[in-house]
């Protein structure tokens, strides 16, 4: 099946599409991570926290593609299942599955060279105080990189009319790259290096969701069909993915 081939994301193309569809928890996590690595390098031996890793596809990817040592941390997914996936992928020497709640991380302070979070940081990271908590686990000068569903610009007053039929209150955690810059800058704890919208990210979101429909439960498919209608109606005017990278400024 060549449906998940994407010219911009050649490394992601090395992974079995059935495996990607089976383990997906949102739009293609590997594409999102590969877009992050365009602006945030992951290198051999680096200690990386994959925060909200879901089914650990991105953790496996960072180990395989960059020889990084990865801690695959997630709340909803059983680490025993993630461990099985990691062993099957042949990277159990590099990836450790951990059950973790983002506010109670079971790691030593300053342990990580980098923290990566794909399609997960918006669940907890919009809290003003969260960045300061998380940075304790990053070494001085380490990098934090996230990719999250986003608004191109913050809405002035209200949700635009064409999005209203599809809008769910939880989307209030979608923010623009400029919002993320302000949110992190105001702490004085980091230097933001990149904050942009992933080019054509909304199209990838739409295409991937469309290709995933057949692998979903009936309930998930209903939700995904509404999401597809919303993305088509919007056509990239308001929705996409924000890619934000900052380095710890060790003041
Ligand atoms: C949409 S899924 C994305 C998973 C994965 N990163 C991917 O892209 O396939 C969001 C993930 O965030 C995790 N998550 C949400 N809230 C969390 C929290 N408070 N602490 C740790 N993980 C959390 C969930 O467990 C879930 O796996």
């Amino acid at each position: 099946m060549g449906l998940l081939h994407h010219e911009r994301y050649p490394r992601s193309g090395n992974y079995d599409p059935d495996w990607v569809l089976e383990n997906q928890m949102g739009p293609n996590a590997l594409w999102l991570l590969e877009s992050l690595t365009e602006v945030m390098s992951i290198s051999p031996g680096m200690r990386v926290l994959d925060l909200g890793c879901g089914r650990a596809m991105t953790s496996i990817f960072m180990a395989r593609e960059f020889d990084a040592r990865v801690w695959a941390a997630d709340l909803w997914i059983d680490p025993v299942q993630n461990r099985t996936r990691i062993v099957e992928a042949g990277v159990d020497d590099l990836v450790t599955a951990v059950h973790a709640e983002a506010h109670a991380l079971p790691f030593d302070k300053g342990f990580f060279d980098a923290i990566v979070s794909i399609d997960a940081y918006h669940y907890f990271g919009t809290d003003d105080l969260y960045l300061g908590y998380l940075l304790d686990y990053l070494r001085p000068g380490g990098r934090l990189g996230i990719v999250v569903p986003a608004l191109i610009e913050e809405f002035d007053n209200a949700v635009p009319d064409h999005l209203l039929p599809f809008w769910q209150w939880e989307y209030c955690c979608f923010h623009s790259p400029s919002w993320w810059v302000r949110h992190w800058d105001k702490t004085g704890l980091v230097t933001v290096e990149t904050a942009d919208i992933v080019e054509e990210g909304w199209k990838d979101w739409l295409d991937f969701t469309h290709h995933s429909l057949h692998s979903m439960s009936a309930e998930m498919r209903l939700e995904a069909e509404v999401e597809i209608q919303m993305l088509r109606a919007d056509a990239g005017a308001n929705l996409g993915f924000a890619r934000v990278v900052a380095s710890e400024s060790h003041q």
Side-chain angles (χ1 to χ4, degrees):
M1 168 177 160
L3 291 176
L4 298 188
H5 174 77
H6 194 308
E7 270 188 10
R8 178 168 169 182
Y9 304 123
R11 288 178 185 271
S12 301
N14 296 331
Y15 294 77
D16 177 3
D18 290 334
W19 181 80
V20 173
L21 289 173
E22 197 179 303
N23 294 308
Q24 55 101 6
M25 293 179 69
N28 194 330
L30 299 187
W31 290 349
L32 297 180
L33 175 61
E34 201 167 345
S35 80
L36 183 68
T37 60
E38 291 170 353
V39 291
M40 175 178 177
S41 60
I42 305 290
S43 38
M46 197 183 236
R47 291 204 273 219
V48 183
L49 171 60
D50 187 357
L51 184 57
C53 69
R55 300 203 168 93
M57 287 196 294
T58 47
S59 310
I60 290 166
F61 182 97
M62 286 188 279
R64 273 207 186 151
E65 303 297 323
F66 305 115
D67 268 329
R69 287 178 290 165
V70 186
W71 280 259
D74 198 76
L75 182 62
W76 303 340
I77 303 297
D78 181 356
V80 175
Q81 291 175 12
N82 274 347
R83 163 98 186 141
T84 302
R85 252 182 298 279
I86 289 160
V87 170
E88 283 169 2
V91 287
D92 46 315
D93 54 334
L94 288 173
V95 184
T96 307
V98 185
H99 183 253
E101 203 291 318
H103 301 84
L105 294 174
F107 305 109
D108 290 338
K109 302 283 170 77
F111 183 72
F112 294 105
D113 299 303
I115 299 176
V116 161
S117 186
I118 301 299
D119 193 15
Y121 195 82
H122 53 301
Y123 288 104
F124 39 82
T126 56
D127 176 346
D128 284 346
L129 300 180
Y130 187 71
L131 181 68
Y133 167 77
L134 183 61
L135 290 175
D136 273 353
Y137 296 89
L138 199 56
R139 69 159 168 77
R143 282 208 169 88
L144 166 64
I146 67 170
V147 182
V148 282
L151 304 180
I152 311 291
E153 301 285 347
E154 295 296 301
F155 297 148
D156 279 342
N157 293 310
V159 176
D161 286 348
H162 70 280
L163 290 177
L164 275 178
F166 316 107
W167 201 254
Q168 299 185 21
W169 75 266
E170 294 96 331
Y171 298 164
C172 65
C173 67
F174 294 178
H175 289 291
S176 64
S178 320
W179 185 93
W180 282 106
V181 172
R182 271 195 307 280
H183 185 59
W184 284 3
D185 256 355
K186 71 185 176 190
T187 66
L189 298 173
V190 291
T191 305
V192 178
E193 297 172 349
T194 299
D196 60 9
I197 289 286
V198 176
E199 201 185 332
E200 308 263 277
W202 73 273
K203 267 194 190 155
D204 296 341
W205 183 352
L206 174 59
D207 289 347
F208 183 77
T209 310
H210 186 70
H211 293 322
S212 313
L213 286 176
H214 74 277
S215 65
M216 292 179 180
S217 64
E219 192 189 341
M220 295 263 304
R221 199 175 312 132
L222 272 181
E223 272 182 39
E225 277 165 354
V226 174
E227 202 169 283
I228 287 171
Q229 286 176 39
M230 174 176 78
L231 291 165
R232 283 203 177 121
D234 189 56
N238 296 278
L239 298 168
F241 286 98
R243 177 173 69 165
V244 194
V245 179
S247 54
E248 196 274 346
S249 356
H250 56 281
Q251 291 175 352

